[in-house]
């Protein structure tokens, strides 16, 4: 087992990794930017290294600074969390070259899944149902028009190297295709450094369903069931739950089995999430795989009792999975509300100092956060402040627990999305489990501004 892990991240996820490492008796090294000196992950790590100025490009995305920090402190592994460098095949490769274990999949798998057009092809080959779409990147207007005509409108143009719900364009008529293609290519180039885009059939009002998997280095892969993340705003998740209120045991077994086989086919190791859209007829189609820990991994932990971060560390250290598919049981239901430092009406970021903070405990409540009274929510990073999770014997109990937890939560000094969550939980459709990615349209107060203002953490 490792002796010391460097955590190449900040905020609640850095603390989450510290929790797992401590329970395993492993020392931790926190890295931090000059803006984060007083953050809790710096306080609770065994050792700390300042890696640069506040801007993430110069600190949390600075591979040389992170590798140097790991070498100076004698770390034998790096956990990248989510966001930042968590899906950087380059960091995984540099780690390999420096004999530091990267806690995540191999550089090869990260690269494959990071190119969504290639990932679609690989999944199709492995027998996973994918959404109809272009076979690879679409680089001309003629080709785009041809693909879209074959698929039938509406279609969606997506950046091959995209993420975080950004850079997608829905096209409803042939007349709009050429300009959408040009804009999407330009945006993809600017945001992700690669201008490749591909076209997919656009599904109206789908559900977002994703499977959590774990794979060790001995050929064992299991799935931990599905999560439903249909409550989104501008393609970014707000509320996630496990299991999906509409998935049957049979569907779980069937799609879970397909995902496990596909993961084995690409030699997937460590934790990963295979994302699907479910159309209104109940068909599920693969959209992408994320080669990292997800923000919403906690709801799966609550219903399975498996500590995914500890498993990631054990797997990276070369241990075999200690359980088989048949040992995994889904117990009750869990929900997560992402509390962001944002205006609850406009969703504009609301950084600042939290001057009063109190959260309730009680049965079935888990809160993953870096927040406390007098802490600063920095304008430099994403706006996720806390993940409030509740677990109940069933979905009704989990919802009741979430409502009373939100009612008893006090966060003052900054604006948060708690009022948004309260409204969602009151909706009859939510209570009945009638979810879709279009759910939030009912609350729209304004035409969304171009470009997107929300800085919510990546999925
Ligand atoms: P990202 O990597 O940017 O998060 P995803 O491919 O995971 O992008 O998609 C994010 C969200 O965008 C989905 O959960 C869904 O709401 C929406 N979306 C993506 N592809 C489609 C599609 N083909 N049809 C309808 N909605 C889509």
């Amino acid at each position: 087992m490792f002796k010391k892990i460097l955590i190449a991240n900040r905020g609640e996820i850095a603390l989450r990794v510290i929790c797992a490492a401590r329970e395993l008796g492993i020392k931790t090294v926190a890295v931090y930017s000059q803006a984060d000196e007083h953050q809790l992950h710096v306080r609770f790590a065994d050792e700390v290294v300042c890696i640069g100025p506040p801007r993430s490009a110069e600190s949390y995305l600075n591979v040389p600074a992170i590798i140097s920090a790991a070498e100076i402190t004698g770390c034998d592994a790096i956990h990248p969390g989510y966001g930042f460098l968590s899906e950087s095949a380059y960091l995984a490769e540099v780690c390999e070259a420096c004999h530091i274990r990267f806690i995540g999949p191999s550089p090869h798998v990260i690269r494959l899944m990071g190119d969504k057009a290639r990932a679609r092809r690989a999944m199709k080959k492995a027998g996973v149902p994918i959404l109809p779409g272009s076979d690879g990147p679409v680089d001309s207007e003629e080709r785009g028009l041809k693909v879209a005509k074959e698929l039938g409108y509406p279609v969606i143009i997506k950046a091959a190297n995209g993420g975080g719900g950004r850079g997608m364009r829905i096209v409803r008529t042939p007349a709009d295709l050429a300009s959408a293609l040009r804009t999407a290519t330009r945006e993809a180039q600017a945001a992700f450094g690669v201008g490749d885009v591909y076209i997919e059939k656009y599904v109206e009002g789908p559900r977002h369903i994703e499977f959590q998997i774990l794979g060790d280095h001995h050929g064992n892969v299991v799935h931990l069931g599905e999560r439903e993340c249909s409550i989104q705003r501008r393609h970014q998740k707000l509320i996630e739950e496990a299991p999906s209120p509409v998935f049957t045991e049979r569907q779980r077994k069937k799609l879970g089995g397909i995902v496990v086989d596909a993961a084995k086919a690409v030699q997937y190791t460590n934790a990963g999430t295979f994302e699907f859209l479910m159309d209104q007829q109940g068909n599920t189609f693969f959209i992408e795989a994320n080669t990292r820990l997800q923000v919403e991994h906690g709801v799966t932990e609550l219903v399975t009792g498996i500590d995914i971060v500890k498993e990631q560390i054990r797997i990276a250290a070369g241990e075999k999975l200690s359980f088989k598919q048949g040992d995994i049981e889904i117990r009750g239901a869990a929900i997560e509300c992402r509390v962001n430092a944002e205006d609850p009406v406009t969703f504009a970021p609301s950084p600042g100092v939290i001057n009063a903070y109190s959260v309730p405990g009680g049965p079935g409540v888990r809160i993953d956060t870096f927040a406390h009274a007098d802490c600063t929510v920095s304008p430099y990073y994403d706006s996720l402040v806390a993940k409030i999770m509740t677990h109940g014997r069933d979905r009704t109990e989990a919802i009741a627990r979430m409502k009373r937890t939100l009612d008893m939560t006090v966060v003052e000094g900054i604006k948060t999305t708690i009022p948004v969550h309260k409204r969602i939980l009151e909706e009859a459709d939510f209570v009945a489990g009638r979810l879709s990615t279009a759910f939030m349209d009912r609350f729209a107060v304004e035409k969304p501004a171009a470009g997107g203002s929300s800085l919510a953490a990546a999925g």
Side-chain angles (χ1 to χ4, degrees):
M1 185 39 84
F2 304 124
K3 293 200 164 46
K4 213 191 266 182
I5 295 176
L6 180 138
I7 303 159
N9 216 300
R10 63 181 300 284
E12 69 85 20
I13 199 60
L15 286 163
R16 172 70 189 88
V17 179
I18 290 175
C19 293
R22 280 198 180 195
E23 289 178 27
L24 290 168
I26 301 169
K27 296 257 182 266
T28 52
V29 175
V31 292
Y32 66 98
S33 75
Q34 284 158 4
D36 278 349
E37 195 184 338
H38 302 293
Q39 293 284 327
L40 282 189
H41 75 284
V42 177
R43 186 190 304 184
F44 290 126
D46 296 296
E47 291 172 58
V48 301
V49 181
C50 180
I51 48 164
R55 269 171 31 88
S56 18
E58 295 171 70
S59 50
Y60 297 106
L61 292 172
N62 183 341
V63 173
I66 288 166
I67 294 287
S68 312
E71 293 201 314
I72 290 163
T73 52
C75 285
D76 36 21
I78 293 183
H79 195 300
Y82 56 69
F84 294 128
L85 293 167
S86 59
E87 290 174 289
S88 163
Y90 174 65
L91 175 63
E93 268 162 8
V94 175
C95 282
E96 255 179 29
C98 297
H99 305 289
I100 296 168
R101 206 65 64 78
F102 178 79
I103 302 177
S106 67
H108 165 76
V109 165
I110 298 175
R111 200 155 269 138
L112 172 68
M113 297 304 187
D115 179 340
K116 296 185 349 172
R118 257 181 82 204
R120 273 170 55 85
R121 282 202 297 274
M123 288 301 104
K124 190 175 172 186
K125 200 171 145 211
V128 182
I130 64 167
L131 270 178
S134 57
D135 273 339
V138 172
D139 53 10
S140 75
E141 186 185 325
E142 296 72 42
R143 173 126 172 75
L145 281 166
K146 189 165 173 278
V147 172
K149 192 173 173 198
E150 279 161 20
L151 295 174
Y153 290 84
V155 297
I156 183 166
I157 305 176
K158 297 164 84 168
N161 294 66
R166 289 178 302 152
M168 288 182 268
R169 304 239 142 203
I170 301 158
V171 183
R172 297 193 177 271
T173 65
D176 296 333
L177 194 104
S179 74
L181 204 54
R182 273 196 303 275
T183 322
T185 303
R186 208 170 46 234
E187 282 178 2
Q189 181 68 46
F192 310 111
V194 183
D196 289 355
V197 297
Y198 65 105
I199 300 183
E200 223 171 52
K201 177 76 190 155
Y202 180 71
V203 186
E204 301 278 3
R207 287 171 174 264
H208 175 114
I209 308 260
E210 58 183 37
F211 268 83
Q212 174 72 54
I213 65 147
L214 288 172
D216 66 18
H217 291 273
H218 307 273
N220 304 302
V221 180
V222 296
H223 72 81
L224 304 184
E226 81 287 354
R227 293 183 284 261
E228 173 151 3
C229 317
S230 299
I231 306 295
Q232 306 180 349
R233 181 179 169 274
R234 295 203 194 156
H235 309 306
Q236 294 187 342
K237 299 160 185 167
L238 292 177
I239 297 185
E240 303 98 337
E241 53 185 289
S244 160
V246 289
F247 238 53
T248 61
E249 186 54 43
R250 236 179 105 216
Q251 281 171 302
R252 181 170 305 123
K253 219 170 160 182
K254 183 162 176 235
L255 194 53
I258 290 174
V259 167
V260 165
D261 288 346
K264 284 182 180 163
V266 297
Q267 293 181 321
Y268 199 105
T269 52
N270 217 280
T273 297
F274 286 62
E275 298 191 331
F276 294 82
L277 293 183
M278 183 192 262
D279 68 15
Q280 289 172 8
Q281 288 71 46
N283 306 304
T284 39
F285 303 98
F286 171 85
I287 47 169
E288 67 159 351
N290 291 322
T291 53
R292 56 171 161 81
L293 188 65
Q294 304 266 111
V295 173
E296 62 273 21
H297 71 280
V299 289
T300 300
E301 295 184 324
L302 287 171
V303 295
T304 59
I306 291 169
D307 183 324
I308 295 172
V309 183
K310 279 206 265 189
E311 292 305 328
Q312 285 192 290
I313 296 172
R314 289 194 184 108
I315 289 167
E319 288 184 18
K320 272 191 184 157
L321 281 177
S322 61
F323 43 82
K324 298 200 162 51
Q325 192 64 56
D327 301 329
I328 296 156
E329 228 183 289
I330 309 293
R331 283 188 216 93
I335 300 184
E336 167 176 283
C337 289
R338 293 191 191 193
V339 177
N340 292 335
E342 287 168 9
D343 183 293
V345 177
T346 63
F347 292 90
S350 174
V353 176
I354 295 177
N355 48 39
Y357 177 80
S358 174
V359 290
V365 178
R366 166 174 166 182
I367 298 172
D368 284 16
T369 183
F370 62 87
H372 57 90
D374 299 326
C375 93
T376 301
V377 178
S378 171
Y380 293 104
Y381 313 109
D382 75 62
S383 60
L384 183 73
V385 171
K387 303 187 310 200
I388 299 188
M389 292 168 257
T390 56
H391 183 212
R393 270 172 312 178
D394 53 26
R395 190 168 183 270
T396 309
E397 189 173 54
I399 292 175
R401 285 192 167 145
M402 183 59 81
K403 280 188 176 171
R404 67 99 175 142
T405 303
L406 294 176
D407 283 343
M408 295 165 76
T409 297
V410 179
V411 181
E412 284 170 14
I414 57 162
K415 292 180 187 167
T416 77
T417 47
I418 288 178
V420 179
H421 291 299
K422 287 185 180 172
R423 281 176 69 189
I424 296 170
L425 294 176
E426 290 300 332
E427 287 288 309
D429 284 341
F430 184 84
V431 174
R434 285 191 295 270
L435 313 179
S436 92
T437 61
F439 184 95
M440 293 301 290
D441 294 353
R442 71 192 68 196
F443 298 128
V445 286
E446 43 158 17
K447 212 168 168 291
S453 62
S454 175
L455 297 172

